[in-house]
Every structure is written in structure tokens, then in C-alpha cells.
């Protein structure tokens, strides 16, 4: 395969809602190609030689940052990383100032992680930079590459080598946990819907957003009923214990009892159900160790898929413009 | 200074000439003449009484990079206003006689509009102890409107005491109705759009719960209560209910809540970030109906200038607020007059006479009558143009209307008979200050 057979790029990737089914499938297919590269003796393509990708992480996320760095390097791009964890993005430095610093360096794409919802959209609309913008997680809004890699992992598990060209029509996906504060849930809901999957959300009422009624999903507070419904995919979201201080739920044990994937609940899942988690996991809280490490778990596939998906996205946003532009 | 206005259509539709001398209207009728007067041809223009804003943030003292009394007064005059009530969240806070007198005298010195300082209800807007309400009321500034605007007087006991105490000075407590615990970190109306955008919701009930409580407190205290920037259909319903019970409550709505909805936030453009937030279309329609039927008494701008950097950033890092003085009359025309909900006499009521009554500001009860102070504006409702940054005459440009086609244009404004705007242009500060 050569990625050059995939034409027309993406301008930016800000939200999965900007993708129609054909565009989403195209990214998943390109990621299949990219996954093959990883199996080669020299797992590297010259596709983005001479292009520069800036990883701009206002909020620390080692996993996502490393995944984007690996993706860019496998495509032979140069990578500059600005991370809040180091001193390259000082606390309180504005998006605008940092963006303009980066623009002066002639960067071709910016991978932005930010604690504020909409930050990637603001950067893309601002005119402060010419570079393509890839949203690597914005507040509680979206995490598009996570949504894509989850879809990729689901499709791969379901269709294996026959994945190419397929959507997720008919797949029944249940997402459990803190929907209100989850950018992963939002990206999954919209993308899975676009790809034809049926999405069911399970959470205490306090952690379902007001306005969820307008989403293309069904909702409930009953995980046991959801398990009895035998979903194809059960995705457990990370619960942050500080939520109990804001009265979203009483305490961790109660949460775990009502909405945790315990060994006992795991035992009731049909054999074919995929268990997913975007990580990092609180083992023993929202998911038991047994469930996380079982054959049903797709959690490690999710990590592997991450690099392929990010290669595909970087390739698409950078293949539109001329090198060095 | 003598001014002769010819051929102006008054709010009731009658066309007349007006002769102004010594700051008052001296003659009304057809075919007037005056030898050495400044003549204004008002043919085709609507004469309105000088507009009175109950809710303006002038930012001075303390935040002069956003606005000053002078620049805010100019923005007001450009929008047809002749009086503004300057909110108390300055630095230092307007919570003593000294500060309110300073703000008032800055207004007098510049002369574009009458600046009526609002006094803080509590010291430093901290919501803990009553400020020197009596001293402010009896000061040269004669404060009658008291508000912690920007913050809600959320403590029920303090609110009760404030209502009782202020009523002894013929004052009114203007409440910024926002239950603080229900709005921690709130960014946007809680609902469909906040759910999609992943922004913390500002639920309608956080406004309505405070209004429900406060109308009952006002009834129990037999005191005057004013509700700032009512933004939801439920709030309008509560005010309607309270008025039917005889509660002495008045309410204001902002131009932006009459026009814009939460959908404007979808692009995360922080110019649309305001507190209370833009709501649903159902709310907009209910607010228009409530203003038309008198449930909501007045339109107030909540003019809130901010420097560029506090809007050029991610939504949740941006400041709340929009400038509104220069655009208010156009928005009211578009949402209320052009829709047939209000006639020009109604506009004069909700933007001049009633806000003056609530603020206990004299001189606005009998506009266009011989002997009345000459506070008026001449407005051309027939023109329409894209609202551009050139129309903004204050220091800040955080207007949600830039680029939007808006009807109407203020052609002239007179404050105490002195033109502050002529031929659609602000006059120079020296000329205005000379009178
Ligand atoms: Zn307010």
C-alpha cells in the first residue's frame, strides 16, 4: 500500500462531528494501512519528511503526547513538543501568545491538548496561525482521535482482516460512567452514531448532562439492565473521586456497587462482548482487574490503535498543503 | 445654548418643531423659528426622550483599560442615552459616599450624560456586611439604586435586611439573581448546547430560585425590589405572578437577551459569553412578550466593556459581558418595534420614563413638554447597515453584533439642551463640557 492512494486531506480535526461516515471510514482504512507499516522491518514512511508537527500540551497527558509523537516520527515528520509539564508552556501563558510563538517557527500542524472546551476550535478560527489544528482533547468537549481509535479497535475486533471499507452498522455500544465530564464519551457518541452503531449511556443522573435528551442515544441509570441487554461493547469511563465532593455521588464504594464492572457483573456478560476503557483505569473502582485483563478486553488494542489512527490523521491534515508552506 | 429642531416625529407619531433654550424645552409647535439657534432638521426622524440606562458598567475607578466615565459616557450618548446608572463593581467598590461622589462628579465634569452611581449593597460586594447605604443615599450623589451586581446577594437574611434598610431611603435593591452554588464554574445556559460543547451549565433554576425567594422577601418587607437582566421564561413568569400579588417588584431585560440565543456559542466565540448566559429561543420569545405586556418594566444594557485579551481566548478563560450602549436602541427596534410588539411610545416608556422612575431620576416624566429638561435623541429608524467597530464609541469592542445588519441610527442626542451627538457624530469633549 501507499498512503498516496488516499487523496484530499482534512483541513483540521477539531470534532468528530465534522466527519461524515465516508470520511470517518476513510480515516479508519488509512489507519489500517498505517498499522501495517508498524509490522515492517523499518516501521517508518517518508510521507511527511520536511514537515513539522508541534505538540502543544497545555494539559499534561503523557500517553496521548507519546502516541502523537510516535505517529509523527513514523511518518518522518519533525516534532517539537511544548508541554506544561516542562517549562516550555509556562502556567498562565495564553493560547494566543503560544500559538504565535509556534507560528513564527513555521510549524505545519499543531496538536493541541487544552483543559478548556473549544480551545482547538478557537485556535483554528483565530487566524493566529496558518497550521492545521488537531484536537488532542479539549476540556470536557471532545477527544476526536480517541473516538476514532475506539471505533478502529471495535471494527478490528468485529471484522478482523475484513475491516476495510466497513462502518459499525448495528453494533450495540454501552458507555458507562461520568458522561457529563467526559470528552471521550462525547467523541464516541457522535462518531459511533455516524458509523451506524447504537449507543446506550449508563450513569447516575447526576453525571448525565442536562440536554442529553437531544443526543442520538438511549440513557439509563441501571448497569445491570444494560448488561442483561447483552451489548456488543461495554466501555467503562474513568471516574474521578473528586466528583463525590461535588455531590455527584455519595462515595466510591457506592459508585462501584452501582456502576462498576465488578467480577460478578463481568461474569454475566456474553462471551463476545468487548470490554473497553480509555484509560488510565482505576482498577477496582470502575473496572475490576479481572475484567480489564480478560480476553474480552480491548484495552491494549486501544493503545496500539492510537498510533495508527494518529498517523492517519496527521497524514490527512498535512497532505492537503504543500511541503514547507 | 439655543437649539431649534424642526419636523421631528414624537413617540406618539405627531410631528412638531421644538425650541430649546437654557437646557429646557421652551416652545413646542409647528413653524417655530429662532434667530441664533443651532438648527437640526429632524425631517423623517423619530424624537425619543433621552434614554436612561439602569445598568451600565463604567469601570472607573479601577479598570480604566476597559472603560472610563468619559468613554462610557460617550458610548452612551452615541446610543441615544442621556443618563446611565453606573454599577458598583469598580475598584475601589462604590460602597462609600466618597467613591459615589467621585464617580458622579466625573460624569458632571464631562457632561455627555447624567451619571448616577449605583451603591453597593454590601461592603466590597463581599455579601457579608451592609455598606454605608445611608451615607451614599444622603451624599451629593443621592444614590437610590443599590446593587452588588456581578454578584448575587445570596444570603437570605442579608437580602431581607437590605430590602428593609434601603426602603428607608426611598431606594431600591437591584438583584443580580444567581444562586452561587448552582452556578459554580458555569459557562453557558444549561441545556442542549452546553451538553454538546462540554461547558459547565448555568441552569435557569439558579436565576428563578433567587427571584422566587426575593419577591417573597420584598413582599414581607414591603420594599422595592428590582431584578437585573431577567433571562428566562420562568423568571418572567415569576415576576408576572409577583406583580399580580402586588409585590413592589420591577424587572429589566437586556437587548442581547431579546435577540440572541445560546446557539451563538456554538463556535466558542467568547464575544457571546455573558452573565446571565444567552438562553433558548423559547426564553427570547417569552422575554419579548413580557416586555410588551409590562411584566418586564425596562430595557437595560448591562454594558460590560472588557479588553481584547479577555475575549481572545478559550471560552472558559474569557470574561463575561458585552458592550451594549451603542447598539441597544437598534436591537430594541429590531426585536420589539419591527416585530409589532411595541410602538415608539412603548420604547420611550421602557427605555426612558420607567428606568428614570425606578432610579428616582427627575426630569423624565414629561418629555417634550414646555419647561421640561431637554434630554432627547433623534433617531432614524429607516436606515439599516452592518454594525461595525466604528459604531463603538467606548474603549472596548466586545460587541456581539459586529458584522450583523442592524436597523436604525442615532442622529443627534441632547443632554440638558446640549448636543452630545450631531449629524450622527459625537461632539468633542471640550464642546460638550462647555455646554
Ligand atoms: Zn449582573
Amino acid at each position: 500500500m501507499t498512503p498516496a492512494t488516499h487523496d484530499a486531506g482534512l483541513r483540521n480535526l477539531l470534532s468528530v462531528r465534522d466527519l461524515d461516515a465516508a470520511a470517518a471510514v476513510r480515516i479508519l482504512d488509512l489507519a489500517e494501512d498505517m498499522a501495517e507499516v508498524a509490522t515492517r522491518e523499518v516501521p517508518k514512511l517518508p510521507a511527511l519528511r520536511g514537515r513539522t508537527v508541534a505538540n502543544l500540551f497545555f494539559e499534561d497527558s503523557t500517553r496521548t503526547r507519546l502516541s502523537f509523537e510516535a505517529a509523527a516520527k513514523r511518518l518522518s515528520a519533525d516534532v517539537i513538543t511544548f508541554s506544561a509539564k516542562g517549562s516550555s508552556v509556562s502556567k498562565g501563558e495564553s493560547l494566543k501568545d503560544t500559538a504565535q510563538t509556534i507560528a513564527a517557527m513555521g510549524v505545519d500542524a499543531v496538536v493541541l491538548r487544552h483543559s478548556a472546551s473549544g480551545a482547538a476550535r478557537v485556535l483554528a478560527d483565530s487566524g493566529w496561525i496558518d497550521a492545521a489544528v488537531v484536537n488532542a482533547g479539549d476540556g470536557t468537549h471532545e477527544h476526536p482521535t480517541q473516538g476514532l481509535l475506539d471505533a478502529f479497535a471495535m471494527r478490528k475486533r468485529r471484522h478482523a482482516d475484513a475491516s476495510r471499507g466497513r462502518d459499525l452498522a448495528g453494533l450495540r455500544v454501552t458507555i458507562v460512567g461520568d458522561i457529563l465530564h467526559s470528552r471521550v464519551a462525547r467523541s464516541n457518541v457522535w462518531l459511533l452514531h455516524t458509523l451506524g452503531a447504537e449507543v446506550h449511556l449508563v450513569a447516575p443522573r447526576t453525571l448525565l448532562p442536562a440536554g442529553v435528551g437531544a443526543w442520538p442515544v438511549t440513557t439509563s441509570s441501571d448497569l445491570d439492565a444494560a448488561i442483561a441487554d447483552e451489548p456488543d461493547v461495554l466501555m467503562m469511563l474513568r471516574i474521578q473521586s473528586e466528583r463525590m465532593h461535588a455531590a455527584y455521588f455519595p462515595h466510591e464504594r457506592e459508585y462501584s456497587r452501582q456502576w462498576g464492572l465488578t467480577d460478578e457483573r463481568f461474569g454475566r456478560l456474553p462471551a463476545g462482548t468487548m470490554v473497553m476503557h480509555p484509560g488510565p483505569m482505576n482498577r477496582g473502582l470502575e473496572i475490576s482487574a479481572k475484567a480489564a485483563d480478560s480476553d474480552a478486553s480491548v484495552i491494549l488494542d486501544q493503545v496500539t490503535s492510537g498510533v495508527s489512527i494518529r498517523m492517519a490523521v496527521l497524514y490527512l491534515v498535512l497532505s492537503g498543503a504543500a511541503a514547507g508552506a | 445654548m439655543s437649539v431649534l429642531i424642526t419636523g421631528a416625529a414624537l413617540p406618539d407619531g405627531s410631528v412638531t418643531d421644538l425650541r430649546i433654550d437654557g437646557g429646557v424645552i421652551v416652545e413646542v409647535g409647528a413653524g417655530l423659528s429662532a434667530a441664533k439657534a443651532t438648527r437640526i432638521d429632524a425631517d423623517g426622524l423619530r424624537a425619543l426622550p433621552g434614554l436612561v440606562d439602569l445598568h451600565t458598567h463604567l469601570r472607573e475607578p479601577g479598570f480604566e483599560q476597559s472603560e472610563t466615565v468619559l468613554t462610557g459616557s460617550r458610548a452612551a450618548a452615541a446610543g441615544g442615552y442621556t443618563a446611565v446608572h453606573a454599577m458598583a463593581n469598580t475598584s475601589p467598590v462604590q460602597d462609600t459616599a466618597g467613591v459615589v461622589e467621585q464617580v458622579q462628579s466625573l460624569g458632571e465634569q464631562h457632561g455627555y450624560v447624567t451619571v448616577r452611581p449605583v451603591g453597593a449593597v454590601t461592603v466590597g460586594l463581599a455579601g457579608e456586611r451592609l455598606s454605608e447605604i445611608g451615607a451614599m443615599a444622603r451624599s451629593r450623589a443621592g444614590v437610590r439604586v443599590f446593587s452588588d451586581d456581578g454578584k448575587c446577594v445570596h444570603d437570605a437574611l442579608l437580602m431581607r435586611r437590605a430590602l428593609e434598610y434601603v426602603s428607608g431611603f426611598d431606594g431600591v435593591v437591584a438583584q443580580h439573581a444567581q444562586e452561587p452554588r448552582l452556578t459554580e464554574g458555569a459557562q453557558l445556559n444549561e441545556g442542549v448546547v452546553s451538553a454538546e460543547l462540554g461547558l459547565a451549565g448555568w441552569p435557569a433554576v439558579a436565576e428563578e430560585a433567587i427571584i422566587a425567594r426575593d419577591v417573597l422577601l420584598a413582599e414581607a418587607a414591603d420594599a422595592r425590589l428590582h431584578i437585573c437582566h431577567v433571562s428566562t421564561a420562568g423568571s418572567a413568569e415569576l415576576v408576572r405572578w409577583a406583580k399580580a400579588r402586588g409585590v413592589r417588584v420591577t424587572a429589566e431585560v437586556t437587548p442581547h437577551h431579546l435577540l440572541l440565543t445560546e446557539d451563538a456559542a456554538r463556535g466558542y466565540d467568547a464575544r457571546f459569553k455573558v452573565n446571565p448566559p444567552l438562553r433558548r429561543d423559547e426564553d427570547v420569545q417569552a422575554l419579548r412578550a413580557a416586555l410588551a405586556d409590562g411584566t418586564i418594566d425596562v430595557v437595560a444594557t448591562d454594558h460590560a466593556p472588557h479588553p481584547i485579551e479577555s475575549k481572545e481566548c478559550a471560552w472558559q478563560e474569557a470574561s463575561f459581558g458585552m458592550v451594549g450602549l451603542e447598539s441597544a436602541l437598534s436591537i430594541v427596534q429590531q426585536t420589539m418595534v419591527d416585530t409589532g410588539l411595541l410602538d415608539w411610545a412603548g420604547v420611550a416608556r421602557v427605555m426612558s420614563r420607567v428606568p428614570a422612575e425606578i432610579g428616582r431620576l427627575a426630569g423624565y416624566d414629561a418629555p417634550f413638554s414646555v419647561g421640561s429638561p431637554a434630554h432627547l435623541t433623534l433617531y432614524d429608524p429607516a436606515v439599516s447597515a452592518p454594525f461595525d467597530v466604528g459604531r463603538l464609541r467606548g474603549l472596548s469592542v466586545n460587541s456581539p453584533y459586529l458584522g450583523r445588519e442592524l436597523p436604525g441610527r442615532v442622529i443627534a442626542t441632547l443632554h440638558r439642551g446640549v448636543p452630545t451627538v450631531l449629524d450622527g457624530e459625537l461632539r468633542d469633549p471640550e464642546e460638550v463640557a462647555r455646554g
Side-chain angles (χ1 to χ4, degrees), chain B residues 55 57 149-151 176-177 228-229 275-276 302:
Chain B
H55 195 145
H57 295 276
D149 182 67
K151 292 186 173 174
H176 170 117
C228 297
H229 41 56
N275 194 21
D302 196 3

Side-chain angles (χ1 to χ4, degrees), chain B residues 313-336:
Chain B
C313 53
W315 181 281
Q316 67 199 58
E317 294 169 348
S319 302
F320 288 101
M322 1 176 113
V323 294
L325 286 166
E326 302 96 326
S327 48
L329 191 49
S330 289
I331 304 299
V332 169
Q333 181 190 341
Q334 183 172 59
T335 59
M336 301 300 295

Side-chain angles (χ1 to χ4, degrees), chain B residues 278-301:
Chain B
L278 302 176
R279 305 284 189 186
R280 305 163 308 162
D281 187 56
E282 299 94 295
D283 296 299
V284 168
Q285 301 309 325
L287 294 172
R288 291 182 186 183
L291 181 63
D293 74 15
T295 298
I296 294 175
D297 303 82
V298 305
V299 172
T301 66

Side-chain angles (χ1 to χ4, degrees), chain A residues 153 157 275 277 281 292-293 297-306:
Chain A
R157 192 53 89 100
V275 172
H277 192 297
M281 290 180 279
D293 299 333
S297 168
V298 192
I299 293 165
L300 283 178
D301 301 11
Q302 287 174 277
V303 177
T304 325
S305 312

Side-chain angles (χ1 to χ4, degrees), chain B residues 46-117:
Chain B
R46 183 68 62 166
L48 293 169
L51 307 183
V52 178
D53 193 18
L54 262 183
H55 195 145
T56 313
H57 295 276
L58 290 181
R59 304 294 192 218
E60 183 179 3
F63 305 100
E64 291 85 355
Q65 77 281 17
S66 298
E67 196 79 285
T68 65
V69 173
L70 174 60
T71 62
S73 295
R74 285 168 57 87
Y81 286 89
T82 53
V84 299
H85 289 75
M87 277 298 173
N89 59 342
T90 50
S91 178
V93 169
Q94 290 168 199
D95 58 4
T96 62
V99 181
V100 293
E101 286 183 347
Q102 182 202 344
V103 170
Q104 195 221 17
S105 60
L106 281 170
E108 276 171 2
Q109 186 189 315
H110 302 311
Y112 281 92
V113 292
T114 302
V115 173
R116 294 275 290 161

Side-chain angles (χ1 to χ4, degrees), chain A residues 33-305:
Chain A
D33 300 342
M34 296 300 181
E36 283 176 12
V37 173
T39 66
R40 295 182 187 175
E41 199 173 333
V42 183
K44 212 165 151 119
L45 285 176
L48 299 182
R49 182 161 295 145
R51 319 303 298 276
T52 304
V53 175
N55 278 325
L56 181 49
F57 277 58
F58 281 84
E59 182 184 73
D60 189 52
S61 169
T62 309
R63 300 154 52 99
T64 304
R65 181 170 54 77
L66 290 176
S67 181
F68 270 107
E69 281 177 7
K73 284 175 180 162
R74 278 189 198 169
L75 292 169
S76 307
D78 297 321
V79 181
I80 312 172
T81 294
F82 297 79
S83 170
K85 197 66 176 264
S87 52
S88 44
V89 180
S90 57
K91 199 165 167 56
E93 179 163 357
S94 77
L95 186 56
K96 182 180 180 179
D97 290 343
T98 311
Q100 286 176 334
T101 304
I102 285 177
M105 294 175 171
V107 159
D108 300 294
V110 173
V111 174
L112 179 70
R113 171 73 153 235
H114 202 285
S115 59
S117 298
R121 172 73 187 267
V122 169
L123 180 62
D125 288 351
S126 65
W128 304 326
I129 55 168
D130 294 327
V133 178
V134 175
N135 182 3
D138 61 328
T140 55
H141 175 226
E142 277 210 40
H143 193 353
T145 57
Q146 178 76 41
L148 284 162
L149 73 88
D150 288 340
F152 182 88
M154 289 177 207
R155 192 177 75 160
K156 194 78 181 164
R157 192 53 89 100
R158 172 161 260 212
H159 298 295
D161 289 345
S163 289
R164 274 198 182 78
R166 289 182 186 266
D167 60 16
L168 298 174
L171 194 75
R172 295 167 62 247
V173 181
T174 293
I175 305 176
V176 184
D178 186 356
I179 309 294
L180 178 62
H181 300 98
S182 177
R183 53 188 166 215
V184 175
R186 282 176 180 76
S187 283
N188 265 284
V189 163
W190 302 116
L191 183 64
L192 291 171
H193 173 69
T194 298
L195 289 170
E198 293 168 27
V199 183
H200 182 56
L201 304 178
V202 177
R205 269 288 302 280
T206 48
L207 292 173
L208 282 174
V212 75
W215 293 10
V217 299
T218 51
T219 62
S220 87
S221 295
D222 188 344
L223 178 55
D224 292 309
I227 285 175
D229 252 6
E230 307 193 338
D232 299 312
V233 179
L234 187 65
M235 181 183 294
M236 308 304 296
L237 299 176
R238 177 181 172 80
I239 190 76
Q240 291 179 301
S241 53
E242 60 261 33
R243 302 285 177 225
M244 64 189 167
H245 302 303
Y248 288 105
F249 57 88
H251 53 66
E252 293 181 355
R253 253 180 313 115
E254 160 111 350
Y255 183 87
S256 188
R257 268 200 303 263
Q258 301 294 327
W259 294 283
L261 184 57
T262 58
D263 287 352
E264 188 273 324
R265 283 199 178 100
F266 179 64
R268 276 189 271 133
L269 274 179
T273 298
M274 300 174 231
V275 172
M276 302 184 78
H277 192 297
M281 290 180 279
N282 297 302
R283 285 168 185 262
L285 177 49
E286 73 263 357
I287 188 166
S288 75
K290 184 175 164 190
D293 299 333
S294 71
D295 288 344
S297 168
V298 192
I299 293 165
L300 283 178
D301 301 11
Q302 287 174 277
V303 177
T304 325
S305 312

Side-chain angles (χ1 to χ4, degrees), chain B residues 354-380:
Chain B
V354 179
E357 271 170 30
I358 293 169
R360 297 294 191 250
L361 173 61
Y364 288 83
D365 53 336
F368 308 116
S369 306
V370 171
S372 283
H375 306 307
L376 61 91
T377 188
L378 299 172
Y379 180 71
D380 183 355

